[in-house]
Amino acid sequence: MAGALVTTYRTVIGLGGGPLLPAVSFLGRLPTAMCQLGSLLLVARTSGSLATAGLVGGALAAGQTAGGPVVGRLADRLGQRPVVLVAALLNACAVTGLVTGALGHAPTAGLVALGVLVGLSVPQVGPLSRSRMVALARRGGADERTVSGVLSLEGTLDETSFVLGPALVGIAATVAHPAVALGLAAALLAACGVAFALHPTARAVAPARGGRVGALPLGGGLRVPRPAGSGRPGAGAGRGERHRRRGTVYALRASAALQGAMFGACQAGITALTEELGAPGQSGLVYAAMGVMSAVVGLAMASVPPAVTLTARWRAATCAALVLALPLLVVHSLGWLYLVVVILGSAYAPHLITLFSLTERVVPASRMGESMAFMTSGVIGGQALALMAAGPVAEGYGPGAAFGIAVGTAAAACALAWAARPERARDGHGGALAPASSAG
């Protein structure tokens, strides 16, 4: 199995002409993971107010949640190269402006406005890298195992960035100052964001010209032609099928938001429990351990047998998340917290990778960047809202209450996965949506 995985990932890396593209896209998405925590620490230190820091952090998250799909849609319509280039440079300037404003003790309203601008201008390297790599795979006639490998690798890069990013911020804040971490983020945005935009593979997702007919990849090599400019798959299909497709997309986005809410509630519960145990410094390490396990399992997802349909994977992942989250309700020691959280992390990557895989099959190729960005925004928005809700709950009723919110969101995601019928959005006949030759 290990040999097959190595072969798959060698093929995936070869799609972009070598390791440069994955490296650049990884470094280009690190600032997104750094800015949320970095802005909180910076504003808290310079203003002396946790409330002000929370407002700025919330503004940044809100801006990113709202701006992600907009950047994705612009990239679909204008091409990734100009959009990412402008967004990366604007985002670097906005981050620099936030650092300057915080160090200069700017008023709260000004800092909040800068936080919104930082969020709105995020170049969405992660979602756009997904859509670019999938386009390269489809254009090259790659099999579904390779496409699954693409999404697994992208998911792992995301997980790793969200573990390493906050760690870098924590180190910089401890050794020097949070402004140093955000300065590094701005430099990465300017260098790696621009490099990602200018990479030759950007042509793979250039918008169609001359009124050419597009096509929607549905898996297994099946492509359904659609008129140029059609904004949805199956433009010639009946109203019922279009409604099913739209419902499936909404269900996938809701599931991503619930996953984000689970992240946020777990983060609040972990922070509260480690403080209660007198080891507040362990909270970041616990959360990082969960992320590392998620990344490792994400890499292994490319080895799942093709006969296991995406619908089955979605349901299995959400059921696993619910079952593995239940022990959080009775954890009262640091050792058990590490064990439970690390095991729970094994369910996260399979869920998110499957959601992105399903999205790739039910949305038009012409709106792939927007759709991938919508999914990422859902995770970020859900996490921010859950943190806002679970933080006060954990403070007032203890960490178990925050973990209870995590279990509740896991139960909602599980129920949604079993209620949804993504296979009907594919062919209208209830055929199983499979990522391999059994599809279609």
mmCIF file of all heavy atoms in Angstrom, residues 320-363:
data_model
loop_
_atom_site.group_PDB
_atom_site.id
_atom_site.type_symbol
_atom_site.label_atom_id
_atom_site.label_comp_id
_atom_site.label_asym_id
_atom_site.label_seq_id
_atom_site.Cartn_x
_atom_site.Cartn_y
_atom_site.Cartn_z
ATOM 1 N N ALA A 320 -17.886 8.603 12.412
ATOM 2 C CA ALA A 320 -16.659 8.448 13.202
ATOM 3 C C ALA A 320 -16.405 9.681 14.056
ATOM 4 O O ALA A 320 -16.021 9.570 15.230
ATOM 5 C CB ALA A 320 -15.481 8.186 12.269
ATOM 6 N N ALA A 321 -16.611 10.867 13.478
ATOM 7 C CA ALA A 321 -16.396 12.094 14.233
ATOM 8 C C ALA A 321 -17.318 12.160 15.452
ATOM 9 O O ALA A 321 -16.901 12.563 16.552
ATOM 10 C CB ALA A 321 -16.617 13.311 13.337
ATOM 11 N N LEU A 322 -18.570 11.748 15.283
ATOM 12 C CA LEU A 322 -19.516 11.773 16.395
ATOM 13 C C LEU A 322 -19.109 10.790 17.490
ATOM 14 O O LEU A 322 -19.049 11.144 18.676
ATOM 15 C CB LEU A 322 -20.922 11.440 15.886
ATOM 16 C CG LEU A 322 -22.013 11.284 16.954
ATOM 17 C CD1 LEU A 322 -22.135 12.549 17.798
ATOM 18 C CD2 LEU A 322 -23.349 10.933 16.295
ATOM 19 N N VAL A 323 -18.795 9.573 17.096
ATOM 20 C CA VAL A 323 -18.439 8.547 18.081
ATOM 21 C C VAL A 323 -17.145 8.928 18.807
ATOM 22 O O VAL A 323 -17.043 8.795 20.041
ATOM 23 C CB VAL A 323 -18.296 7.171 17.391
ATOM 24 C CG1 VAL A 323 -17.715 6.144 18.361
ATOM 25 C CG2 VAL A 323 -19.644 6.699 16.870
ATOM 26 N N LEU A 324 -16.161 9.401 18.065
ATOM 27 C CA LEU A 324 -14.869 9.728 18.666
ATOM 28 C C LEU A 324 -14.908 11.010 19.496
ATOM 29 O O LEU A 324 -14.012 11.245 20.316
ATOM 30 C CB LEU A 324 -13.809 9.855 17.571
ATOM 31 C CG LEU A 324 -13.509 8.571 16.786
ATOM 32 C CD1 LEU A 324 -12.505 8.838 15.682
ATOM 33 C CD2 LEU A 324 -13.003 7.478 17.719
ATOM 34 N N ALA A 325 -15.927 11.857 19.275
ATOM 35 C CA ALA A 325 -16.046 13.089 20.062
ATOM 36 C C ALA A 325 -16.704 12.841 21.419
ATOM 37 O O ALA A 325 -16.515 13.630 22.355
ATOM 38 C CB ALA A 325 -16.851 14.137 19.289
ATOM 39 N N LEU A 326 -17.470 11.782 21.556
ATOM 40 C CA LEU A 326 -18.192 11.535 22.812
ATOM 41 C C LEU A 326 -17.291 11.457 24.038
ATOM 42 O O LEU A 326 -17.655 11.990 25.101
ATOM 43 C CB LEU A 326 -19.035 10.245 22.677
ATOM 44 C CG LEU A 326 -20.240 10.340 21.732
ATOM 45 C CD1 LEU A 326 -20.871 8.958 21.546
ATOM 46 C CD2 LEU A 326 -21.271 11.320 22.291
ATOM 47 N N PRO A 327 -16.113 10.819 23.958
ATOM 48 C CA PRO A 327 -15.246 10.788 25.157
ATOM 49 C C PRO A 327 -14.811 12.160 25.655
ATOM 50 O O PRO A 327 -14.401 12.282 26.815
ATOM 51 C CB PRO A 327 -14.039 9.964 24.687
ATOM 52 C CG PRO A 327 -14.563 9.107 23.578
ATOM 53 C CD PRO A 327 -15.580 9.969 22.884
ATOM 54 N N LEU A 328 -14.893 13.195 24.813
ATOM 55 C CA LEU A 328 -14.542 14.536 25.273
ATOM 56 C C LEU A 328 -15.396 14.969 26.453
ATOM 57 O O LEU A 328 -14.968 15.771 27.299
ATOM 58 C CB LEU A 328 -14.714 15.545 24.131
ATOM 59 C CG LEU A 328 -13.692 15.506 22.987
ATOM 60 C CD1 LEU A 328 -14.135 16.438 21.864
ATOM 61 C CD2 LEU A 328 -12.301 15.898 23.485
ATOM 62 N N LEU A 329 -16.599 14.435 26.536
ATOM 63 C CA LEU A 329 -17.528 14.840 27.590
ATOM 64 C C LEU A 329 -17.082 14.382 28.973
ATOM 65 O O LEU A 329 -17.556 14.915 29.987
ATOM 66 C CB LEU A 329 -18.929 14.295 27.290
ATOM 67 C CG LEU A 329 -19.574 14.771 25.978
ATOM 68 C CD1 LEU A 329 -20.894 14.053 25.739
ATOM 69 C CD2 LEU A 329 -19.785 16.278 26.015
ATOM 70 N N VAL A 330 -16.201 13.374 29.021
ATOM 71 C CA VAL A 330 -15.800 12.829 30.334
ATOM 72 C C VAL A 330 -14.297 12.933 30.563
ATOM 73 O O VAL A 330 -13.772 12.335 31.491
ATOM 74 C CB VAL A 330 -16.249 11.359 30.470
ATOM 75 C CG1 VAL A 330 -17.774 11.275 30.487
ATOM 76 C CG2 VAL A 330 -15.690 10.494 29.334
ATOM 77 N N VAL A 331 -13.578 13.687 29.728
ATOM 78 C CA VAL A 331 -12.130 13.847 29.895
ATOM 79 C C VAL A 331 -11.844 14.841 31.021
ATOM 80 O O VAL A 331 -12.405 15.940 31.031
ATOM 81 C CB VAL A 331 -11.486 14.327 28.575
ATOM 82 C CG1 VAL A 331 -10.054 14.786 28.827
ATOM 83 C CG2 VAL A 331 -11.487 13.203 27.553
ATOM 84 N N HIS A 332 -10.954 14.447 31.954
ATOM 85 C CA HIS A 332 -10.637 15.344 33.073
ATOM 86 C C HIS A 332 -9.140 15.384 33.380
ATOM 87 O O HIS A 332 -8.746 15.906 34.431
ATOM 88 C CB HIS A 332 -11.394 14.908 34.336
ATOM 89 C CG HIS A 332 -12.882 15.002 34.196
ATOM 90 N ND1 HIS A 332 -13.546 16.204 34.052
ATOM 91 C CD2 HIS A 332 -13.833 14.039 34.154
ATOM 92 C CE1 HIS A 332 -14.852 15.986 33.934
ATOM 93 N NE2 HIS A 332 -15.045 14.677 33.997
ATOM 94 N N SER A 333 -8.309 14.845 32.495
ATOM 95 C CA SER A 333 -6.869 14.887 32.724
ATOM 96 C C SER A 333 -6.163 15.206 31.416
ATOM 97 O O SER A 333 -6.700 14.957 30.328
ATOM 98 C CB SER A 333 -6.359 13.550 33.275
ATOM 99 O OG SER A 333 -6.414 12.534 32.276
ATOM 100 N N LEU A 334 -4.950 15.724 31.516
ATOM 101 C CA LEU A 334 -4.215 16.142 30.336
ATOM 102 C C LEU A 334 -3.837 14.960 29.455
ATOM 103 O O LEU A 334 -3.939 15.028 28.220
ATOM 104 C CB LEU A 334 -2.957 16.907 30.766
ATOM 105 C CG LEU A 334 -2.224 17.681 29.661
ATOM 106 C CD1 LEU A 334 -3.136 18.719 29.033
ATOM 107 C CD2 LEU A 334 -0.970 18.337 30.234
ATOM 108 N N GLY A 335 -3.424 13.853 30.080
ATOM 109 C CA GLY A 335 -3.041 12.683 29.310
ATOM 110 C C GLY A 335 -4.191 12.135 28.484
ATOM 111 O O GLY A 335 -4.041 11.827 27.289
ATOM 112 N N TRP A 336 -5.352 12.011 29.114
ATOM 113 C CA TRP A 336 -6.526 11.508 28.388
ATOM 114 C C TRP A 336 -6.983 12.505 27.328
ATOM 115 O O TRP A 336 -7.480 12.122 26.265
ATOM 116 C CB TRP A 336 -7.667 11.211 29.363
ATOM 117 C CG TRP A 336 -7.514 9.892 30.050
ATOM 118 C CD1 TRP A 336 -7.177 9.674 31.350
ATOM 119 C CD2 TRP A 336 -7.655 8.597 29.452
ATOM 120 N NE1 TRP A 336 -7.098 8.337 31.614
ATOM 121 C CE2 TRP A 336 -7.397 7.637 30.468
ATOM 122 C CE3 TRP A 336 -7.978 8.147 28.181
ATOM 123 C CZ2 TRP A 336 -7.452 6.269 30.235
ATOM 124 C CZ3 TRP A 336 -8.028 6.778 27.937
ATOM 125 C CH2 TRP A 336 -7.768 5.849 28.953
ATOM 126 N N LEU A 337 -6.805 13.786 27.601
ATOM 127 C CA LEU A 337 -7.182 14.790 26.604
ATOM 128 C C LEU A 337 -6.345 14.619 25.337
ATOM 129 O O LEU A 337 -6.879 14.633 24.219
ATOM 130 C CB LEU A 337 -6.982 16.202 27.179
ATOM 131 C CG LEU A 337 -7.277 17.353 26.209
ATOM 132 C CD1 LEU A 337 -8.741 17.348 25.788
ATOM 133 C CD2 LEU A 337 -6.907 18.696 26.846
ATOM 134 N N TYR A 338 -5.033 14.436 25.506
ATOM 135 C CA TYR A 338 -4.175 14.211 24.346
ATOM 136 C C TYR A 338 -4.637 12.985 23.566
ATOM 137 O O TYR A 338 -4.753 13.014 22.334
ATOM 138 C CB TYR A 338 -2.726 14.011 24.791
ATOM 139 C CG TYR A 338 -1.898 15.271 24.801
ATOM 140 C CD1 TYR A 338 -1.573 15.907 26.000
ATOM 141 C CD2 TYR A 338 -1.423 15.826 23.619
ATOM 142 C CE1 TYR A 338 -0.799 17.054 26.015
ATOM 143 C CE2 TYR A 338 -0.646 16.980 23.629
ATOM 144 C CZ TYR A 338 -0.341 17.589 24.835
ATOM 145 O OH TYR A 338 0.412 18.731 24.840
ATOM 146 N N LEU A 339 -4.892 11.894 24.274
ATOM 147 C CA LEU A 339 -5.276 10.651 23.610
ATOM 148 C C LEU A 339 -6.579 10.799 22.843
ATOM 149 O O LEU A 339 -6.670 10.436 21.652
ATOM 150 C CB LEU A 339 -5.405 9.534 24.650
ATOM 151 C CG LEU A 339 -5.824 8.168 24.105
ATOM 152 C CD1 LEU A 339 -4.772 7.632 23.141
ATOM 153 C CD2 LEU A 339 -6.058 7.184 25.247
ATOM 154 N N VAL A 340 -7.593 11.361 23.492
ATOM 155 C CA VAL A 340 -8.906 11.497 22.856
ATOM 156 C C VAL A 340 -8.848 12.437 21.664
ATOM 157 O O VAL A 340 -9.406 12.147 20.591
ATOM 158 C CB VAL A 340 -9.952 11.980 23.889
ATOM 159 C CG1 VAL A 340 -11.263 12.338 23.195
ATOM 160 C CG2 VAL A 340 -10.192 10.914 24.943
ATOM 161 N N VAL A 341 -8.168 13.550 21.834
ATOM 162 C CA VAL A 341 -8.113 14.550 20.768
ATOM 163 C C VAL A 341 -7.326 14.042 19.558
ATOM 164 O O VAL A 341 -7.703 14.272 18.406
ATOM 165 C CB VAL A 341 -7.517 15.862 21.309
ATOM 166 C CG1 VAL A 341 -7.064 16.761 20.183
ATOM 167 C CG2 VAL A 341 -8.552 16.593 22.159
ATOM 168 N N VAL A 342 -6.225 13.340 19.791
ATOM 169 C CA VAL A 342 -5.430 12.803 18.684
ATOM 170 C C VAL A 342 -6.244 11.787 17.893
ATOM 171 O O VAL A 342 -6.254 11.791 16.651
ATOM 172 C CB VAL A 342 -4.128 12.170 19.213
ATOM 173 C CG1 VAL A 342 -3.456 11.338 18.117
ATOM 174 C CG2 VAL A 342 -3.175 13.256 19.686
ATOM 175 N N ILE A 343 -6.956 10.903 18.588
ATOM 176 C CA ILE A 343 -7.787 9.921 17.888
ATOM 177 C C ILE A 343 -8.915 10.618 17.129
ATOM 178 O O ILE A 343 -9.238 10.262 15.992
ATOM 179 C CB ILE A 343 -8.350 8.882 18.881
ATOM 180 C CG1 ILE A 343 -7.206 8.067 19.485
ATOM 181 C CG2 ILE A 343 -9.347 7.965 18.189
ATOM 182 C CD1 ILE A 343 -7.642 7.110 20.579
ATOM 183 N N LEU A 344 -9.514 11.633 17.740
ATOM 184 C CA LEU A 344 -10.572 12.385 17.080
ATOM 185 C C LEU A 344 -10.077 13.037 15.796
ATOM 186 O O LEU A 344 -10.800 13.116 14.794
ATOM 187 C CB LEU A 344 -11.126 13.446 18.032
ATOM 188 C CG LEU A 344 -12.168 14.420 17.475
ATOM 189 C CD1 LEU A 344 -13.404 13.667 16.977
ATOM 190 C CD2 LEU A 344 -12.565 15.438 18.532
ATOM 191 N N GLY A 345 -8.818 13.485 15.796
ATOM 192 C CA GLY A 345 -8.265 14.128 14.607
ATOM 193 C C GLY A 345 -8.278 13.230 13.375
ATOM 194 O O GLY A 345 -8.282 13.732 12.245
ATOM 195 N N SER A 346 -8.323 11.920 13.569
ATOM 196 C CA SER A 346 -8.310 11.004 12.434
ATOM 197 C C SER A 346 -9.587 11.071 11.609
ATOM 198 O O SER A 346 -9.622 10.574 10.474
ATOM 199 C CB SER A 346 -8.092 9.566 12.918
ATOM 200 O OG SER A 346 -9.186 9.126 13.717
ATOM 201 N N ALA A 347 -10.639 11.671 12.151
ATOM 202 C CA ALA A 347 -11.906 11.770 11.415
ATOM 203 C C ALA A 347 -12.029 13.074 10.644
ATOM 204 O O ALA A 347 -12.885 13.170 9.748
ATOM 205 C CB ALA A 347 -13.084 11.640 12.385
ATOM 206 N N TYR A 348 -11.223 14.068 10.963
ATOM 207 C CA TYR A 348 -11.397 15.388 10.368
ATOM 208 C C TYR A 348 -11.023 15.428 8.887
ATOM 209 O O TYR A 348 -11.800 15.860 8.038
ATOM 210 C CB TYR A 348 -10.589 16.432 11.139
ATOM 211 C CG TYR A 348 -11.172 16.809 12.477
ATOM 212 C CD1 TYR A 348 -10.411 17.423 13.455
ATOM 213 C CD2 TYR A 348 -12.510 16.546 12.772
ATOM 214 C CE1 TYR A 348 -10.944 17.780 14.687
ATOM 215 C CE2 TYR A 348 -13.050 16.889 13.990
ATOM 216 C CZ TYR A 348 -12.271 17.507 14.948
ATOM 217 O OH TYR A 348 -12.811 17.863 16.162
ATOM 218 N N ALA A 349 -9.804 15.015 8.567
ATOM 219 C CA ALA A 349 -9.350 15.082 7.173
ATOM 220 C C ALA A 349 -10.225 14.251 6.233
ATOM 221 O O ALA A 349 -10.584 14.729 5.150
ATOM 222 C CB ALA A 349 -7.894 14.670 7.064
ATOM 223 N N PRO A 350 -10.600 13.004 6.599
ATOM 224 C CA PRO A 350 -11.485 12.251 5.698
ATOM 225 C C PRO A 350 -12.788 12.978 5.395
ATOM 226 O O PRO A 350 -13.283 12.937 4.260
ATOM 227 C CB PRO A 350 -11.739 10.950 6.469
ATOM 228 C CG PRO A 350 -10.515 10.776 7.295
ATOM 229 C CD PRO A 350 -10.129 12.171 7.713
ATOM 230 N N HIS A 351 -13.335 13.664 6.395
ATOM 231 C CA HIS A 351 -14.583 14.395 6.174
ATOM 232 C C HIS A 351 -14.380 15.543 5.192
ATOM 233 O O HIS A 351 -15.094 15.670 4.194
ATOM 234 C CB HIS A 351 -15.111 14.929 7.507
ATOM 235 C CG HIS A 351 -16.411 15.663 7.386
ATOM 236 N ND1 HIS A 351 -16.742 16.740 8.185
ATOM 237 C CD2 HIS A 351 -17.464 15.500 6.546
ATOM 238 C CE1 HIS A 351 -17.932 17.191 7.850
ATOM 239 N NE2 HIS A 351 -18.396 16.467 6.853
ATOM 240 N N LEU A 352 -13.379 16.375 5.445
ATOM 241 C CA LEU A 352 -13.169 17.537 4.591
ATOM 242 C C LEU A 352 -12.734 17.145 3.180
ATOM 243 O O LEU A 352 -13.199 17.729 2.190
ATOM 244 C CB LEU A 352 -12.128 18.460 5.225
ATOM 245 C CG LEU A 352 -12.597 19.200 6.486
ATOM 246 C CD1 LEU A 352 -11.444 19.981 7.095
ATOM 247 C CD2 LEU A 352 -13.762 20.136 6.168
ATOM 248 N N ILE A 353 -11.854 16.162 3.064
ATOM 249 C CA ILE A 353 -11.410 15.727 1.737
ATOM 250 C C ILE A 353 -12.586 15.192 0.942
ATOM 251 O O ILE A 353 -12.720 15.443 -0.264
ATOM 252 C CB ILE A 353 -10.297 14.677 1.872
ATOM 253 C CG1 ILE A 353 -9.011 15.343 2.387
ATOM 254 C CG2 ILE A 353 -10.022 13.984 0.536
ATOM 255 C CD1 ILE A 353 -7.925 14.361 2.784
ATOM 256 N N THR A 354 -13.466 14.447 1.605
ATOM 257 C CA THR A 354 -14.644 13.913 0.920
ATOM 258 C C THR A 354 -15.585 15.028 0.484
ATOM 259 O O THR A 354 -16.160 14.993 -0.608
ATOM 260 C CB THR A 354 -15.385 12.916 1.826
ATOM 261 O OG1 THR A 354 -14.500 11.859 2.182
ATOM 262 C CG2 THR A 354 -16.596 12.326 1.115
ATOM 263 N N LEU A 355 -15.745 16.050 1.327
ATOM 264 C CA LEU A 355 -16.594 17.182 0.945
ATOM 265 C C LEU A 355 -16.051 17.882 -0.296
ATOM 266 O O LEU A 355 -16.810 18.232 -1.207
ATOM 267 C CB LEU A 355 -16.699 18.175 2.099
ATOM 268 C CG LEU A 355 -17.469 17.725 3.351
ATOM 269 C CD1 LEU A 355 -17.468 18.828 4.394
ATOM 270 C CD2 LEU A 355 -18.903 17.334 3.001
ATOM 271 N N PHE A 356 -14.740 18.087 -0.342
ATOM 272 C CA PHE A 356 -14.149 18.717 -1.520
ATOM 273 C C PHE A 356 -14.277 17.814 -2.749
ATOM 274 O O PHE A 356 -14.489 18.299 -3.859
ATOM 275 C CB PHE A 356 -12.680 19.051 -1.262
ATOM 276 C CG PHE A 356 -12.476 20.286 -0.433
ATOM 277 C CD1 PHE A 356 -11.955 20.210 0.849
ATOM 278 C CD2 PHE A 356 -12.803 21.537 -0.933
ATOM 279 C CE1 PHE A 356 -11.763 21.347 1.616
ATOM 280 C CE2 PHE A 356 -12.609 22.691 -0.181
ATOM 281 C CZ PHE A 356 -12.093 22.594 1.103
ATOM 282 N N SER A 357 -14.169 16.506 -2.557
ATOM 283 C CA SER A 357 -14.314 15.573 -3.678
ATOM 284 C C SER A 357 -15.734 15.603 -4.232
ATOM 285 O O SER A 357 -15.941 15.611 -5.449
ATOM 286 C CB SER A 357 -13.963 14.149 -3.226
ATOM 287 O OG SER A 357 -12.616 14.055 -2.803
ATOM 288 N N LEU A 358 -16.715 15.614 -3.349
ATOM 289 C CA LEU A 358 -18.103 15.689 -3.793
ATOM 290 C C LEU A 358 -18.381 17.011 -4.495
ATOM 291 O O LEU A 358 -19.082 17.054 -5.517
ATOM 292 C CB LEU A 358 -19.042 15.525 -2.592
ATOM 293 C CG LEU A 358 -19.198 14.093 -2.048
ATOM 294 C CD1 LEU A 358 -19.852 14.115 -0.677
ATOM 295 C CD2 LEU A 358 -20.018 13.242 -3.012
ATOM 296 N N THR A 359 -17.821 18.095 -3.951
ATOM 297 C CA THR A 359 -18.003 19.395 -4.585
ATOM 298 C C THR A 359 -17.449 19.389 -6.000
ATOM 299 O O THR A 359 -18.056 19.922 -6.936
ATOM 300 C CB THR A 359 -17.302 20.489 -3.754
ATOM 301 O OG1 THR A 359 -17.904 20.549 -2.455
ATOM 302 C CG2 THR A 359 -17.415 21.852 -4.416
ATOM 303 N N GLU A 360 -16.285 18.777 -6.173
ATOM 304 C CA GLU A 360 -15.655 18.721 -7.491
ATOM 305 C C GLU A 360 -16.529 18.000 -8.509
ATOM 306 O O GLU A 360 -16.435 18.251 -9.704
ATOM 307 C CB GLU A 360 -14.295 18.028 -7.369
ATOM 308 C CG GLU A 360 -13.419 18.113 -8.592
ATOM 309 C CD GLU A 360 -13.594 16.934 -9.526
ATOM 310 O OE1 GLU A 360 -13.959 15.839 -9.051
ATOM 311 O OE2 GLU A 360 -13.385 17.104 -10.742
ATOM 312 N N ARG A 361 -17.419 17.138 -8.033
ATOM 313 C CA ARG A 361 -18.238 16.355 -8.944
ATOM 314 C C ARG A 361 -19.604 16.948 -9.242
ATOM 315 O O ARG A 361 -20.258 16.530 -10.184
ATOM 316 C CB ARG A 361 -18.392 14.929 -8.405
ATOM 317 C CG ARG A 361 -17.149 14.088 -8.660
ATOM 318 C CD ARG A 361 -17.062 12.914 -7.696
ATOM 319 N NE ARG A 361 -15.902 12.096 -8.014
ATOM 320 C CZ ARG A 361 -14.641 12.409 -7.734
ATOM 321 N NH1 ARG A 361 -14.379 13.559 -7.133
ATOM 322 N NH2 ARG A 361 -13.637 11.612 -8.031
ATOM 323 N N VAL A 362 -20.063 17.886 -8.432
ATOM 324 C CA VAL A 362 -21.423 18.376 -8.640
ATOM 325 C C VAL A 362 -21.510 19.855 -9.015
ATOM 326 O O VAL A 362 -22.606 20.379 -9.166
ATOM 327 C CB VAL A 362 -22.325 18.113 -7.402
ATOM 328 C CG1 VAL A 362 -22.446 16.631 -7.131
ATOM 329 C CG2 VAL A 362 -21.790 18.840 -6.177
ATOM 330 N N VAL A 363 -20.367 20.525 -9.158
ATOM 331 C CA VAL A 363 -20.412 21.927 -9.583
ATOM 332 C C VAL A 363 -19.756 22.064 -10.951
ATOM 333 O O VAL A 363 -18.935 21.229 -11.335
ATOM 334 C CB VAL A 363 -19.720 22.862 -8.569
ATOM 335 C CG1 VAL A 363 -20.351 22.750 -7.200
ATOM 336 C CG2 VAL A 363 -18.234 22.565 -8.486
#
